[in-house]
Amino acid sequence: RLTSSSSSLSSSKDDSVSSSNNKLCVIILTGFPCCTTHTPPMETDGLASVAIARAVVKMGYDAVLVTEECNGPVFVAAVEGVEKEEYSSIRLAFYPSSSSKSKSKWTKDNDDDLKQLAYDADLIIACERAGPAADGNCYTMRGINMNEKGLIAPLHDIVTHARSSSSSSSSATNVNDSNDKVKFIAIGDGGNELGMGKVIEKIHEHIPDGEKIGAVMAADHLIAASVSNWGAYALIAAAALVFAADNRDDVDDDDDDD
């Protein structure tokens, strides 16, 4: 079911995205509204997140694309163009900016939604997703503060909640947290994208104004690409190879049994 609203998600895991049909759920964070004087303000880089969602569905999982309301029309158009069987397994979740300049106000329900998405997540992927710098704001490569423009929702909180939930669960069950936690894969190209904190020292050293704009949250696995869309396609290709190999092994095992 395609959803383009930020209505509250169920607080019950039984009704959640990932368990509604016993499929694993991949949360895809995206959207970089750096074209601050345009409507919509999102740049074209990052739209490969839709291709990631399609690949996720093709592999038999559910996908949730999460971005701001201001980026919404772009993703609605992109997702409506996919095949019907894929369309039904890709969900869109749009959220308002947390800035006082936003037309829609951030509410406790929005906070609860992000916690539910984190709870539902079996994997989190960020593709060209704006990431908070050391001062908590998200910046363009030219140093424009997108939070002040009323364009940023705190979607990085989904990663924070997922990591916190995984850590608590691991501690309670005596499971090694590094093996049990929800993994976070990030794709970026400029240093100001969510997850690029994994190489923050390199960003400070090599990116102009890197100490100001560098995104501090670190991914578990980072794909640094010349263009984030290209990095997304590389991830899809690699996942497809692994998926094909795993399925071929399953077929070979069945043949051996015969």
Side-chain angles (χ1 to χ4, degrees), residues 98-114:
S98 55
S99 167
S100 59
K101 295 183 179 180
S102 175
K103 292 181 180 179
S104 302
K105 300 303 180 185
W106 189 265
T107 67
K108 182 181 180 301
D109 284 344
N110 296 137
D111 283 324
D112 291 342
D113 283 356
L114 299 192

Side-chain angles (χ1 to χ4, degrees), residues 144-164:
I144 297 172
N145 187 328
M146 292 179 285
N147 291 71
E148 288 184 351
K149 298 289 186 180
L151 300 173
I152 297 294
L155 305 183
H156 60 281
D157 284 348
I158 293 174
V159 179
T160 302
H161 293 317
R163 286 175 166 173
S164 175

Side-chain angles (χ1 to χ4, degrees), residues 158-177:
I158 293 174
V159 179
T160 302
H161 293 317
R163 286 175 166 173
S164 175
S165 176
S166 295
S167 179
S168 299
S169 175
S170 297
S171 299
T173 56
N174 295 318
V175 176
N176 187 309
D177 180 46

Side-chain angles (χ1 to χ4, degrees), residues 52 75 138 147:
I52 294 175
F75 286 97
C138 296
N147 291 71

Side-chain angles (χ1 to χ4, degrees), residues 164-240:
S164 175
S165 176
S166 295
S167 179
S168 299
S169 175
S170 297
S171 299
T173 56
N174 295 318
V175 176
N176 187 309
D177 180 46
S178 64
N179 295 325
D180 189 57
K181 71 179 182 179
V182 174
K183 294 294 190 277
F184 170 37
I185 300 172
I187 305 165
D189 56 19
N192 53 353
E193 299 89 2
L194 189 64
M196 292 290 280
K198 194 170 184 70
V199 290
I200 192 65
E201 287 145 4
K202 297 293 185 184
I203 293 169
H204 290 170
E205 182 180 356
H206 297 291
I207 300 298
D209 220 5
E211 292 194 5
K212 174 183 178 180
I213 71 171
V216 295
M217 179 175 281
D220 296 305
H221 306 287
L222 175 65
I223 299 173
S226 297
V227 178
S228 291
N229 280 343
W230 299 353
Y233 299 140
L235 175 62
I236 293 166

